[in-house]
Amino acid sequence: MQSPSIGCLTRDPGSFSESRWHYASSLNELREQGEYDVVLVDLDAADAADVVFLLRCDARYHLTLIYAGRDRTGNAPELSDGSIPTDPNAITEAWHKWHHRLSEFNRGRYPERFDEYVLAWLWTRPEGRLKPVRHPHHAQFYYYPLLSAFADNEPVNEMVWLQLMMEQGWLERGPLTDRIRLCTHCVSARLNYVDVCPDCHALEIAREPSLHCFTCGHVAPQDHFLKQGLMLCPNCLTRLRHIGSDYDRPLENYRCRACQSFFVDAEVEVRCLDCDTHHTPDELRIREVRPYSLSEQGRLRCRQGFSGEAQAESHFGRLNLVSANAFTNLLNWQIQQSRRYGETAHGSLVLLRFANLGEALSQERGTTLLDSLIDRIRETIRETDRCARTRDELLWLLLPHTDRQGMDRLRERLTELNRLFREQDGIHIDLRTVGITLPENLLPQEDSDLLMARLGGEVS
């Protein structure tokens, strides 16, 4: 079994007993020694985090297994693959698993572009996540270290890139970490919320008790009514004795020292500390901060490839598949149409499961059989129908304006095609189908996600 070359950055080589490892005392020395399959960083937590980030910025170590620190509590630096294992054999075993995963990525093609590197990092680490990290020096307080490291000094708008990956269905959201508000001009989160006068928007306002004279209706600060120990209205000189009959206290407790106006509540104004743009709170952009991971569609794309040639080679590529996100949006639209217009807006959803797809493709004529079956499916469905894949073996068909009878005919044709191919070639694909018609088979409050989960459970 091949062993990986291991480079170890440490200030105490004597603490390791492995003579096969290559030791270095600085990052520059490690880089000059060459490129290693696995890197161990035995430094203090702060230094280790900086070294791991700088290594990830190096294209040679974008995807490399990097272990940092000997902290067994799980507090390994961000972008590392965990603490240094105590058993050297565990490093070799992990490297073989990583190498096998990388060989399956993009049909064996090594990543070349930014997005391919990010997806390859997630692909080679099945539990990997794009994690947001809070940093006070960052304009938006949160950033994604992996995206920053792989950007290679090129400007990458993380929000736009993540949204694009979501729209293509390659990434899926994790639990909400935080919600921040951003300046609409410079997209900074360094905002100051101040109370200002609602009339002139001056900043200099103060809480100041005031009085209201019932005789003339004059309103002024309380100290304007105090004259030599008596309460006199400064406007009509009426003596004020009893609150409720001679005077009262108005709700306006704030006074602007610029325009002298009284008001109940101040107006909140948001001022960007970076570009000095002024906003009202409802004008700010809202951004949800979440971790991201590979979706089923993303894992499928990592395995099948990213190039146009690889996509054309894909068995299911001839069906003009839409992304999983686009498919669920279309299904939600069909559900809304069916609920509103009833039988005049029929629609059907069919799920095809190729239960033994991997086994069939391992046989000599399995690929030919699958290609023929996909061609027949393409001939059977209409141009207005939409298809999507959520896992390797699952194919979804959305059939607008198709009632129960039309859906049953389609399922019968697919079953008959599969039987004919089995009889002719001696091999078969275990094709299972299930479908429902909208709106009659739709459950109350059921949306696209719940509906697809229900059908998926019926063919599993």
Side-chain angles (χ1 to χ4, degrees):
M1 180 182 295
Q2 181 183 358
S3 297
S5 59
I6 300 176
C8 182
L9 175 58
T10 180
R11 296 190 177 97
D12 183 18
S15 62
F16 294 94
S17 59
E18 291 294 320
S19 59
R20 297 172 299 169
W21 295 356
H22 305 270
Y23 296 93
S25 59
S26 68
L27 180 58
N28 289 334
E29 182 182 351
L30 181 73
R31 285 172 168 170
E32 291 172 357
Q33 288 178 356
E35 183 177 354
Y36 296 105
D37 297 323
V38 180
V39 176
L40 310 180
V41 180
D42 182 33
L43 300 174
D44 295 336
D47 293 337
D50 293 338
V51 167
V52 171
F53 181 81
L54 292 174
L55 283 172
R56 290 294 182 208
C57 292
D58 189 334
R60 297 177 299 173
Y61 294 104
H62 276 350
L63 306 178
T64 303
L65 288 178
I66 301 177
Y67 296 98
R70 304 194 195 187
D71 184 1
R72 306 307 170 200
T73 63
N75 297 321
E78 195 67 36
L79 303 187
S80 72
D81 293 288
S83 302
I84 299 175
T86 55
D87 182 8
N89 293 327
I91 299 176
T92 302
E93 182 180 351
W95 178 79
H96 281 289
K97 292 180 180 178
W98 171 89
H99 190 269
H100 176 71
R101 293 281 294 179
L102 183 61
S103 66
E104 292 182 334
F105 176 79
N106 197 13
R107 296 176 176 262
R109 298 178 180 88
Y110 197 78
E112 298 177 354
R113 305 190 307 270
F114 170 78
D115 56 344
E116 292 181 6
Y117 272 114
V118 176
L119 295 177
W121 193 90
L122 294 172
W123 169 259
T124 52
R125 296 156 175 83
E127 303 300 323
R129 299 288 185 273
L130 284 176
K131 298 179 181 178
V133 173
R134 186 170 59 246
H135 197 290
H137 294 162
H138 196 273
Q140 297 179 6
F141 295 134
Y142 285 93
Y143 77 108
Y144 292 83
L146 190 70
L147 302 185
S148 300
F150 288 0
D152 193 22
N153 296 324
E154 295 182 4
V156 174
N157 189 318
E158 296 180 354
M159 291 172 53
V160 173
W161 187 84
L162 289 170
Q163 182 61 33
L164 178 61
M165 294 296 102
M166 286 292 301
E167 291 175 357
Q168 293 179 340
W170 295 358
L171 296 179
E172 62 185 10
R173 296 184 180 93
L176 184 64
T177 301
D178 202 350
R179 185 181 292 109
I180 59 176
R181 284 167 171 77
L182 308 174
C183 170
T184 58
H185 183 259
C186 69
V187 202
S188 170
R190 300 189 185 105
L191 306 173
N192 188 29
Y193 296 78
V194 295
D195 295 330
V196 297
C197 172
D199 295 328
C200 69
H201 297 280
L203 187 61
E204 192 170 358
I205 62 175
R207 182 185 291 273
E208 192 170 291
S210 58
L211 297 181
H212 172 217
C213 175
F214 284 170
T215 302
C216 66
H218 182 62
V219 177
Q222 178 176 290
D223 57 359
H224 289 190
F225 287 80
L226 298 176
K227 302 293 183 182
Q228 298 179 353
L230 300 177
M231 291 185 61
L232 300 175
C233 174
N235 186 55
C236 66
L237 301 181
T238 301
R239 185 175 179 181
L240 308 179
R241 294 183 174 86
H242 305 290
I243 187 169
S245 59
D246 298 329
Y247 70 96
D248 69 355
R249 296 185 180 276
L251 295 176
E252 293 83 354
N253 287 325
Y254 288 92
R255 183 168 73 93
C256 175
R257 293 177 179 173
C259 68
Q260 305 304 317
S261 64
F262 283 90
F263 46 90
V264 178
D265 293 314
E267 185 176 293
V268 178
E269 185 175 83
V270 185
R271 300 182 177 183
C272 178
L273 299 178
D274 285 334
C275 69
D276 200 33
T277 302
H278 294 193
H279 309 271
T280 58
D282 58 350
E283 292 175 339
L284 298 174
R285 296 184 185 181
I286 298 177
R287 178 192 175 190
E288 292 186 344
V289 181
R290 300 173 179 269
Y292 292 84
S293 59
L294 270 181
S295 63
E296 288 289 346
Q297 186 74 10
R299 284 188 280 271
L300 183 65
R301 176 54 63 92
C302 288
R303 184 179 293 110
Q304 291 183 347
F306 297 91
S307 66
E309 177 184 357
Q311 179 65 14
E313 294 172 358
S314 172
H315 302 290
F316 293 89
R318 296 186 297 278
L319 291 174
N320 296 321
L321 301 174
V322 300
S323 70
N325 278 354
F327 187 84
T328 55
N329 289 335
L330 288 172
L331 179 55
N332 272 326
W333 178 82
Q334 180 65 59
I335 290 173
Q336 293 168 3
Q337 293 284 313
S338 299
R339 282 196 170 122
R340 179 166 185 174
Y341 300 109
E343 295 184 358
T344 60
H346 270 304
S348 294
L349 178 66
V350 177
L351 172 59
L352 283 65
R353 184 187 180 210
F354 302 82
N356 62 334
L357 184 60
E359 177 185 348
L361 292 179
S362 66
Q363 302 181 50
E364 184 176 355
R365 300 194 60 186
T367 300
T368 303
L369 170 62
L370 180 60
D371 286 340
S372 301
L373 188 57
I374 294 299
D375 286 336
R376 294 299 182 91
I377 293 175
R378 185 178 61 172
E379 294 170 1
T380 302
I381 62 178
R382 304 162 300 184
E383 292 185 2
T384 55
D385 299 333
R386 290 294 178 264
C387 312
R389 296 181 71 197
T390 53
R391 291 209 304 267
D392 285 358
E393 74 277 10
L394 297 184
L395 176 65
W396 297 88
L397 306 178
L398 178 58
L399 316 172
H401 298 288
T402 302
D403 57 14
R404 164 65 65 177
Q405 187 177 2
M407 183 195 68
D408 288 340
R409 283 200 303 268
L410 174 63
R411 292 179 61 191
E412 289 172 3
R413 285 198 295 268
L414 294 174
T415 303
E416 182 65 18
L417 284 173
N418 192 37
R419 185 184 63 80
L420 290 175
F421 280 119
R422 184 190 312 176
E423 292 178 353
Q424 294 173 4
D425 297 325
I427 59 175
H428 80 287
I429 294 177
D430 184 7
L431 180 62
R432 306 174 188 176
T433 66
V434 63
I436 68 160
T437 302
L438 307 174
E440 50 261 39
N441 299 130
L442 192 62
L443 299 179
Q445 306 299 322
E446 194 168 44
D447 60 6
S448 61
D449 292 331
L450 293 174
L451 179 56
M452 293 172 71
R454 174 156 65 97
L455 288 187
E458 294 182 15
V459 296
S460 60

mmCIF file of all heavy atoms in Angstrom, residues 282-300:
data_model
loop_
_atom_site.group_PDB
_atom_site.id
_atom_site.type_symbol
_atom_site.label_atom_id
_atom_site.label_comp_id
_atom_site.label_asym_id
_atom_site.label_seq_id
_atom_site.Cartn_x
_atom_site.Cartn_y
_atom_site.Cartn_z
ATOM 1 N N ASP A 282 -35.755 50.348 7.439
ATOM 2 C CA ASP A 282 -36.377 49.445 6.478
ATOM 3 C C ASP A 282 -35.705 49.485 5.111
ATOM 4 O O ASP A 282 -36.042 48.692 4.233
ATOM 5 C CB ASP A 282 -37.873 49.752 6.337
ATOM 6 C CG ASP A 282 -38.125 51.190 5.908
ATOM 7 O OD1 ASP A 282 -37.178 51.993 5.903
ATOM 8 O OD2 ASP A 282 -39.293 51.516 5.583
ATOM 9 N N GLU A 283 -34.757 50.390 4.897
ATOM 10 C CA GLU A 283 -34.038 50.452 3.628
ATOM 11 C C GLU A 283 -32.816 49.535 3.603
ATOM 12 O O GLU A 283 -32.242 49.288 2.544
ATOM 13 C CB GLU A 283 -33.577 51.886 3.346
ATOM 14 C CG GLU A 283 -34.704 52.850 3.056
ATOM 15 C CD GLU A 283 -34.210 54.274 2.911
ATOM 16 O OE1 GLU A 283 -33.102 54.576 3.407
ATOM 17 O OE2 GLU A 283 -34.945 55.085 2.305
ATOM 18 N N LEU A 284 -32.396 49.027 4.749
ATOM 19 C CA LEU A 284 -31.172 48.222 4.820
ATOM 20 C C LEU A 284 -31.365 46.864 4.165
ATOM 21 O O LEU A 284 -32.463 46.306 4.146
ATOM 22 C CB LEU A 284 -30.765 48.019 6.278
ATOM 23 C CG LEU A 284 -30.428 49.282 7.076
ATOM 24 C CD1 LEU A 284 -30.195 48.923 8.530
ATOM 25 C CD2 LEU A 284 -29.214 49.986 6.489
ATOM 26 N N ARG A 285 -30.281 46.344 3.611
ATOM 27 C CA ARG A 285 -30.293 44.970 3.104
ATOM 28 C C ARG A 285 -30.205 43.997 4.274
ATOM 29 O O ARG A 285 -29.489 44.263 5.251
ATOM 30 C CB ARG A 285 -29.109 44.721 2.169
ATOM 31 C CG ARG A 285 -29.105 45.552 0.900
ATOM 32 C CD ARG A 285 -27.940 45.129 0.024
ATOM 33 N NE ARG A 285 -27.816 45.969 -1.156
ATOM 34 C CZ ARG A 285 -26.889 45.803 -2.086
ATOM 35 N NH1 ARG A 285 -25.991 44.819 -1.959
ATOM 36 N NH2 ARG A 285 -26.841 46.602 -3.127
ATOM 37 N N ILE A 286 -30.895 42.897 4.159
ATOM 38 C CA ILE A 286 -30.861 41.868 5.209
ATOM 39 C C ILE A 286 -30.140 40.646 4.659
ATOM 40 O O ILE A 286 -30.469 40.157 3.572
ATOM 41 C CB ILE A 286 -32.271 41.500 5.676
ATOM 42 C CG1 ILE A 286 -32.958 42.723 6.295
ATOM 43 C CG2 ILE A 286 -32.216 40.364 6.693
ATOM 44 C CD1 ILE A 286 -34.382 42.467 6.721
ATOM 45 N N ARG A 287 -29.179 40.180 5.392
ATOM 46 C CA ARG A 287 -28.418 39.002 4.964
ATOM 47 C C ARG A 287 -28.454 37.953 6.059
ATOM 48 O O ARG A 287 -28.171 38.245 7.221
ATOM 49 C CB ARG A 287 -26.962 39.375 4.661
ATOM 50 C CG ARG A 287 -26.114 38.169 4.256
ATOM 51 C CD ARG A 287 -24.648 38.498 4.236
ATOM 52 N NE ARG A 287 -23.849 37.326 3.959
ATOM 53 C CZ ARG A 287 -22.522 37.271 4.071
ATOM 54 N NH1 ARG A 287 -21.853 38.334 4.476
ATOM 55 N NH2 ARG A 287 -21.869 36.165 3.810
ATOM 56 N N GLU A 288 -28.799 36.738 5.684
ATOM 57 C CA GLU A 288 -28.766 35.609 6.605
ATOM 58 C C GLU A 288 -27.420 34.906 6.491
ATOM 59 O O GLU A 288 -26.973 34.585 5.390
ATOM 60 C CB GLU A 288 -29.902 34.633 6.302
ATOM 61 C CG GLU A 288 -31.278 35.196 6.614
ATOM 62 C CD GLU A 288 -32.373 34.169 6.440
ATOM 63 O OE1 GLU A 288 -32.106 33.123 5.796
ATOM 64 O OE2 GLU A 288 -33.494 34.402 6.936
ATOM 65 N N VAL A 289 -26.789 34.705 7.619
ATOM 66 C CA VAL A 289 -25.474 34.062 7.659
ATOM 67 C C VAL A 289 -25.666 32.600 8.038
ATOM 68 O O VAL A 289 -26.223 32.290 9.097
ATOM 69 C CB VAL A 289 -24.546 34.771 8.663
ATOM 70 C CG1 VAL A 289 -23.171 34.123 8.675
ATOM 71 C CG2 VAL A 289 -24.445 36.256 8.333
ATOM 72 N N ARG A 290 -25.231 31.708 7.167
ATOM 73 C CA ARG A 290 -25.402 30.266 7.376
ATOM 74 C C ARG A 290 -24.163 29.502 6.905
ATOM 75 O O ARG A 290 -23.415 29.988 6.048
ATOM 76 C CB ARG A 290 -26.594 29.730 6.566
ATOM 77 C CG ARG A 290 -27.944 30.355 6.886
ATOM 78 C CD ARG A 290 -28.989 29.866 5.907
ATOM 79 N NE ARG A 290 -30.316 30.412 6.165
ATOM 80 C CZ ARG A 290 -31.226 29.848 6.930
ATOM 81 N NH1 ARG A 290 -30.936 28.685 7.521
ATOM 82 N NH2 ARG A 290 -32.399 30.396 7.110
ATOM 83 N N PRO A 291 -23.958 28.289 7.425
ATOM 84 C CA PRO A 291 -22.993 27.378 6.797
ATOM 85 C C PRO A 291 -23.617 26.736 5.568
ATOM 86 O O PRO A 291 -24.841 26.693 5.431
ATOM 87 C CB PRO A 291 -22.720 26.350 7.893
ATOM 88 C CG PRO A 291 -23.970 26.330 8.708
ATOM 89 C CD PRO A 291 -24.531 27.734 8.660
ATOM 90 N N TYR A 292 -22.789 26.253 4.669
ATOM 91 C CA TYR A 292 -23.270 25.610 3.445
ATOM 92 C C TYR A 292 -22.539 24.285 3.263
ATOM 93 O O TYR A 292 -21.380 24.135 3.656
ATOM 94 C CB TYR A 292 -23.033 26.496 2.220
ATOM 95 C CG TYR A 292 -23.881 27.742 2.197
ATOM 96 C CD1 TYR A 292 -23.490 28.888 2.889
ATOM 97 C CD2 TYR A 292 -25.083 27.781 1.499
ATOM 98 C CE1 TYR A 292 -24.267 30.029 2.887
ATOM 99 C CE2 TYR A 292 -25.868 28.923 1.482
ATOM 100 C CZ TYR A 292 -25.458 30.037 2.177
ATOM 101 O OH TYR A 292 -26.241 31.166 2.175
ATOM 102 N N SER A 293 -23.226 23.345 2.641
ATOM 103 C CA SER A 293 -22.640 22.039 2.351
ATOM 104 C C SER A 293 -23.086 21.595 0.964
ATOM 105 O O SER A 293 -23.985 22.192 0.361
ATOM 106 C CB SER A 293 -23.059 21.003 3.407
ATOM 107 O OG SER A 293 -24.470 20.878 3.442
ATOM 108 N N LEU A 294 -22.457 20.547 0.465
ATOM 109 C CA LEU A 294 -22.829 20.008 -0.844
ATOM 110 C C LEU A 294 -24.237 19.420 -0.794
ATOM 111 O O LEU A 294 -24.587 18.699 0.136
ATOM 112 C CB LEU A 294 -21.847 18.912 -1.271
ATOM 113 C CG LEU A 294 -20.608 19.313 -2.078
ATOM 114 C CD1 LEU A 294 -19.800 18.073 -2.413
ATOM 115 C CD2 LEU A 294 -20.973 20.067 -3.343
ATOM 116 N N SER A 295 -25.031 19.733 -1.787
ATOM 117 C CA SER A 295 -26.357 19.133 -1.915
ATOM 118 C C SER A 295 -26.241 17.825 -2.695
ATOM 119 O O SER A 295 -25.167 17.468 -3.207
ATOM 120 C CB SER A 295 -27.297 20.083 -2.650
ATOM 121 O OG SER A 295 -26.833 20.297 -3.977
ATOM 122 N N GLU A 296 -27.339 17.094 -2.790
ATOM 123 C CA GLU A 296 -27.342 15.872 -3.600
ATOM 124 C C GLU A 296 -27.013 16.195 -5.050
ATOM 125 O O GLU A 296 -26.273 15.470 -5.717
ATOM 126 C CB GLU A 296 -28.713 15.189 -3.505
ATOM 127 C CG GLU A 296 -28.993 14.519 -2.166
ATOM 128 C CD GLU A 296 -28.149 13.271 -1.969
ATOM 129 O OE1 GLU A 296 -27.567 12.781 -2.948
ATOM 130 O OE2 GLU A 296 -28.054 12.794 -0.820
ATOM 131 N N GLN A 297 -27.574 17.309 -5.551
ATOM 132 C CA GLN A 297 -27.288 17.717 -6.921
ATOM 133 C C GLN A 297 -25.818 18.079 -7.073
ATOM 134 O O GLN A 297 -25.194 17.788 -8.105
ATOM 135 C CB GLN A 297 -28.168 18.916 -7.291
ATOM 136 C CG GLN A 297 -28.080 19.347 -8.753
ATOM 137 C CD GLN A 297 -28.811 18.395 -9.680
ATOM 138 O OE1 GLN A 297 -29.539 17.522 -9.226
ATOM 139 N NE2 GLN A 297 -28.602 18.557 -10.966
ATOM 140 N N GLY A 298 -25.234 18.709 -6.042
ATOM 141 C CA GLY A 298 -23.823 19.047 -6.097
ATOM 142 C C GLY A 298 -22.932 17.820 -6.099
ATOM 143 O O GLY A 298 -21.934 17.760 -6.827
ATOM 144 N N ARG A 299 -23.286 16.825 -5.286
ATOM 145 C CA ARG A 299 -22.499 15.587 -5.283
ATOM 146 C C ARG A 299 -22.608 14.877 -6.622
ATOM 147 O O ARG A 299 -21.624 14.300 -7.104
ATOM 148 C CB ARG A 299 -22.970 14.681 -4.147
ATOM 149 C CG ARG A 299 -22.482 15.126 -2.773
ATOM 150 C CD ARG A 299 -22.805 14.098 -1.706
ATOM 151 N NE ARG A 299 -24.189 14.200 -1.287
ATOM 152 C CZ ARG A 299 -24.614 14.990 -0.311
ATOM 153 N NH1 ARG A 299 -23.752 15.748 0.330
ATOM 154 N NH2 ARG A 299 -25.884 15.026 0.042
ATOM 155 N N LEU A 300 -23.786 14.932 -7.211
ATOM 156 C CA LEU A 300 -23.969 14.322 -8.530
ATOM 157 C C LEU A 300 -23.096 15.019 -9.563
ATOM 158 O O LEU A 300 -22.444 14.364 -10.384
ATOM 159 C CB LEU A 300 -25.441 14.405 -8.925
ATOM 160 C CG LEU A 300 -25.846 13.763 -10.251
ATOM 161 C CD1 LEU A 300 -25.649 12.254 -10.189
ATOM 162 C CD2 LEU A 300 -27.299 14.093 -10.569
#
